[in-house]
Amino acid sequence: MRILGIETSCDETGVAIYDSEKGILANFLHSQIATHAEYGGVVPELAARDHIRKLLPLIRESLEYAHLNKQDIDAVAYTAGPGLIGALLVGASVGRSLAWAWNIPAIPIHHMEGHLLSPMLESDPPDLPFCALLVSGGHTLLIAVEKIGKYHVLGESLDDAAGEAFDKTAKLLGLTYPGGPALAKLAEVGNSHRFYFPRPMLDRPDLDFSFSGLKTYALNTFKKYGIEAASDIACAFQDSVVDVLVSKSCRAIQHTGYENLIVAGGVSANQALRNQFSVISKKMKIKVYYPRLDFCTDNGAMIAFAGYQSLISGRKTDPNFKVRSKWSLSDLYLI
């Protein structure tokens, strides 16, 4: 089976083709960084317009690269949420239209389920069941995965997601867009002993997160010490976020008794986070899995693969046209 995957939830247009026997046949991504850089963040209207311009050419390019035509595609999977409504509508309308024209199924996919399953595209995928830490610009989630399609949310961010906090803190430090990678790079030259930032909600027994107050703490420190302390502030901020993410993930592993943990989403590419998990995995004797770096950020491959898994599981989907800006994984079957 071959699934065409379409990802347009935010500021990256992703198209890929997944083959159930051969794996990824094509994977193309158009980033909108240059479009949004001058504004210091994503402008929803500009994002939607850019998806309109780029999506169909990327679909044609993917089919040509894989030496396929429309008769070779068995289903179209598209991101139905969560994300920016305008951006989601572009992918959903194109995906639904192609599926109708080609007389094949159209499969709405939860964006975070795509990230959740992305490590399973690697040559050494994790065994089920496992815990998952999903960290991106819009979401921070801890999930117990009993099997594909059966997810239990253990904890989530109550305000800013980890990636969002990275971006906002980078902006207040005067760093360029996108802020997260820029802050991580600046933190590499910072003095880790100069500042100690609080670890939000680490003293609570639950598995929820909160990073809004940490961002404010970084702002107040920056106002007090100025630009000369920027690298040290970046280092302290990153250390705090990493410590919280790793500590809560360890609690989730202990809570579930699972031996495998996957870490996915844009922030999973952060090297400091990976280094800390490497240390912890040896102490706890667990295995930690990541998607390849190309699949950490939004991409069509994860949507195509999630679409395949949805198709073979017989998951029922609503034939009506729906997208959601907010959509809990707990409500996965309600679209």
Side-chain angles (χ1 to χ4, degrees):
M1 297 182 69
R2 299 186 184 97
I3 313 297
L4 174 68
I6 296 172
E7 158 59 27
T8 61
S9 64
C10 190
D11 60 342
E12 289 166 315
T13 311
V15 175
I17 299 173
Y18 175 78
D19 185 291
S20 58
E21 295 182 356
K22 300 178 181 178
I24 299 298
L25 301 181
N27 181 43
F28 289 91
L29 184 72
H30 167 71
S31 174
Q32 299 180 5
I33 287 178
T35 301
H36 302 288
E38 64 178 293
Y39 304 99
V42 178
V43 182
E45 179 64 23
L46 295 182
R49 291 181 183 181
D50 207 41
H51 288 311
I52 292 171
R53 286 190 290 266
K54 299 298 183 179
L55 185 52
L56 286 177
L58 284 179
I59 292 173
R60 296 191 191 100
E61 189 174 4
S62 297
L63 289 170
E64 291 173 1
Y65 182 85
H67 303 292
L68 301 174
N69 54 46
K70 60 185 181 182
Q71 288 80 16
D72 299 314
I73 303 299
D74 297 292
V76 180
Y78 62 90
T79 303
L84 303 175
I85 282 293
L88 291 169
L89 284 171
V90 175
S93 59
V94 171
R96 284 277 180 180
S97 298
L98 288 177
W100 179 82
W102 296 349
N103 195 30
I104 57 177
I107 309 169
I109 296 297
H110 192 293
H111 178 73
M112 297 312 293
E113 185 182 25
H115 280 302
L116 175 69
L117 299 179
S118 59
M120 301 188 75
L121 285 165
E122 304 306 318
S123 58
D124 180 27
D127 293 327
L128 291 161
F130 56 74
C131 282
L133 172 66
L134 305 183
V135 276
S136 67
H139 303 86
T140 303
L141 297 166
L142 271 170
I143 301 168
V145 180
E146 183 177 333
K147 62 180 182 178
I148 294 178
K150 191 169 184 179
Y151 313 125
H152 177 58
V153 177
L154 302 173
E156 59 189 330
S157 180
L158 303 180
D159 39 58
D160 287 356
E164 183 181 6
F166 261 97
D167 288 339
K168 289 180 177 179
T169 302
K171 189 172 183 179
L172 70 87
L173 292 177
L175 301 178
T176 57
Y177 174 85
L183 187 146
K185 186 175 181 179
L186 181 62
E188 292 177 1
V189 297
N191 179 358
S192 61
H193 302 291
R194 183 174 181 184
F195 301 116
Y196 180 86
F197 282 17
R199 272 52 174 167
M201 297 181 68
L202 206 54
D203 58 343
R204 291 174 48 168
D206 59 46
L207 297 174
D208 290 328
F209 303 91
S210 172
F211 295 108
S212 181
L214 184 62
K215 174 193 63 184
T216 303
Y217 194 95
L219 174 61
N220 291 336
T221 305
F222 183 69
K223 287 181 177 179
K224 182 176 180 179
Y225 292 95
I227 192 65
E228 63 86 18
S231 62
D232 300 333
I233 293 171
C235 186
F237 173 85
Q238 179 174 258
D239 285 349
S240 176
V241 173
V242 167
D243 197 11
V244 171
L245 293 175
V246 172
S247 297
K248 295 268 184 174
S249 298
C250 291
R251 290 183 191 175
I253 287 289
Q254 293 169 339
H255 172 76
T256 60
Y258 296 162
E259 297 179 352
N260 297 318
L261 172 72
I262 74 162
V263 184
V267 182
S268 69
N270 182 281
Q271 194 57 54
L273 181 65
R274 293 194 176 206
N275 291 343
Q276 190 64 19
F277 270 123
S278 178
V279 173
I280 292 298
S281 65
K282 294 175 182 177
K283 289 183 178 180
M284 296 186 66
K285 296 181 180 180
I286 61 172
K287 289 186 177 181
V288 182
Y289 298 83
Y290 308 91
R292 70 193 74 170
L293 291 178
D294 288 346
F295 291 169
C296 287
T297 54
D298 296 348
N299 62 88
M302 67 182 191
I303 302 303
F305 180 71
Y308 169 71
Q309 294 295 334
S310 177
L311 197 62
I312 63 174
S313 70
R315 185 185 301 171
K316 302 298 182 181
T317 60
D318 191 327
N320 295 322
F321 187 103
K322 291 181 181 178
V323 295
R324 293 185 176 187
S325 60
K326 295 182 179 180
W327 184 13
S328 171
L329 265 175
S330 301
D331 299 330
L332 185 62
Y333 297 98
L334 301 182
I335 191 170

